Every structure is written in structure tokens, then in C-alpha cells.
Amino acid sequence: MFGRFMPTEGKFFEIFNAHAKCIVDASHELELLIDNLDDAEVHKQNVQANEKRADKLTHETIDLLHKTFITPLDRDEIHKLITTMDDILDLMEDVATAIWLYDIQSLPPEASQLAHISTACCERVEQAVAMLDDMKRAGAILKVCEEIDKLESDADRVLRAAMSKLFREEDNVKTLIKLKAAYELLEAVTDKCEDVANIIEGIVLENA
């Protein structure tokens, strides 16, 4: 159905894909940071670099919205999608910055589990976004969105278990506060991926 639109309108999908790649690249850097705290500053900087690249793509999308007469998707949907995708990167930058600023010296395995789930969510966001220009793939898009929802539920379970263990076993109040913040920020990444999945589901249901 998108073939009838002007060629320049395909630019929106190119930007979505480029932005989604920044999300995935940042998630990999965040995983590396959590699994190797000795190099935390390097990976933090890499996460921030991806966040800045994505910011430019977000601004480019909004600028393009003002210049394009007929858009391939509803204008509000385009704006909501790109800004919510950008929120994912903002949260990952918050995680990386918090771990570095708090000078966290060690992280329990639950943090690594949450980071791994976050990466899986981000990779599926990229997959769903890549199919948005072809509504004949609506079923496949919705399936990926369902996978994101399941992963977010997995992250909820890991977070609850991590918090329970933390408050039962951690006697150092400062460490408890630091780890609690890191856990909650990591889980928030999966929440935001679910928000993107919900937006994409809405786009598919309206356009397929």
C-alpha cells in the first residue's frame, strides 16, 4: 500500500531503521559495561555516542514531518514512534551513567540477566521497525511485538527476584540504594521497548 506515496516518504523508514540500529548497538555496549565494570567508562561513552546519533535522527524525523505533505503513516504515530524509541536510548544512557557515577564495583548476576533481556527486547524492536514499510508482513510484525511483551514480563520477574534478594541479603545501605537504582533503570528499558511495541501494534492494526 505504501507504493503509491512519493519516493521521498521512504526516508521515514530509513530513519526508523537507522535509529533502531543505534538502540541495538547501545544495548550491546550496555551489556558489555555490566559484564566488565573495569571498562565501564569506555562502554558508557559508546552508549552516549549512540544516544547522540539517535537524537539527531529524531530531530531529522520531526523536521521531515514538517516538510512532507503526505506521510506514509499518521503524523502523530510517526512522532510518537520516533520519540518513544528515543526514550529507550535515554534510559540506557541513564543506566550506564548511573553505574559509572555511583562507582559500582560489582553487580549481581540479576543485573546481567536484565541487561540480556533488554538487549533481546531492543533487537526485536529493530526487527519490527524493519518490517513497518510492508504491511503484508503485519502478522510477522505483531508476532515480534508479542515477543517483546513476553520479554518485558520476564524482566519484571527478574526484577522482583532481584529486589527480594537485595533487601534480604544486602546490609550496606549505600550498596543497596545503588543496586536498586541500577535494577529499576534496566527494567525500565524493557518497559519502554514494550511501549514501542504497543505503538507499532497500533500502527499495524490501523494500516494493514
Side-chain angles (χ1 to χ4, degrees):
M1 66 175 290
F2 293 111
R4 68 178 182 271
F5 295 112
M6 294 183 293
T8 54
E9 293 171 10
K11 180 72 172 174
F12 284 105
F13 298 110
E14 292 175 18
I15 298 172
F16 291 156
N17 288 329
H19 196 292
K21 185 179 186 307
C22 290
I23 290 173
V24 171
D25 288 348
S27 72
H28 290 159
E29 289 294 334
L30 188 57
E31 262 200 287
L32 289 170
L33 184 157
I34 287 170
D35 290 338
N36 186 8
L37 291 174
D38 289 340
D39 294 328
E41 185 171 2
V42 172
H43 296 302
K44 174 185 72 75
Q45 289 173 354
N46 291 338
V47 170
Q48 290 174 329
N50 278 291
E51 192 276 333
K52 286 182 173 61
R53 280 194 288 272
D55 260 352
K56 290 179 182 177
L57 292 166
T58 300
H59 293 310
E60 185 179 348
T61 302
I62 293 169
D63 186 53
L64 191 60
L65 273 174
H66 293 303
K67 294 178 179 177
T68 306
F69 181 64
I70 301 174
T71 55
L73 302 172
D74 180 84
R75 290 176 184 276
D76 287 341
E77 290 174 336
I78 290 173
H79 187 274
K80 193 187 300 182
L81 177 59
I82 197 68
T83 53
T84 309
M85 287 171 66
D86 210 50
D87 289 341
I88 297 173
L89 278 149
D90 290 340
L91 281 167
M92 287 193 284
E93 183 182 22
D94 288 345
V95 178
T97 301
I99 291 172
W100 181 73
L101 281 177
Y102 296 165
D103 193 28
I104 295 175
Q105 296 298 310
S106 65
L107 284 165
E110 289 82 5
S112 185
Q113 290 174 35
L114 285 169
H116 180 72
I117 295 171
S118 295
T119 296
C121 281
C122 291
E123 288 171 347
R124 281 159 180 78
V125 165
E126 184 180 39
Q127 291 170 15
V129 166
M131 294 187 281
L132 265 182
D133 63 345
D134 183 6
M135 285 297 126
K136 291 178 182 177
R137 304 183 72 182
I141 298 170
L142 292 176
K143 183 178 178 182
V144 173
C145 290
E146 287 175 12
E147 291 174 4
I148 294 172
D149 291 341
K150 289 176 183 176
L151 285 164
E152 192 278 331
S153 295
D154 291 343
D156 280 343
R157 285 192 289 273
V158 173
L159 177 64
R160 285 194 295 270
M163 288 297 196
S164 175
K165 179 181 174 183
L166 182 63
F167 280 92
R168 280 187 286 108
E169 299 181 4
E170 184 54 63
D171 296 325
N172 186 302
V173 176
K174 285 184 179 180
T175 301
L176 188 149
I177 292 170
K178 292 176 182 180
L179 292 180
K180 180 177 181 291
Y183 286 154
E184 289 175 339
L185 285 169
L186 279 165
E187 197 277 332
V189 174
T190 67
D191 286 342
K192 196 56 67 173
C193 287
E194 185 181 36
D195 289 345
V196 170
N198 291 337
I199 293 168
I200 291 173
E201 285 174 346
I203 290 171
V204 169
L205 294 175
E206 187 171 325
N207 292 280

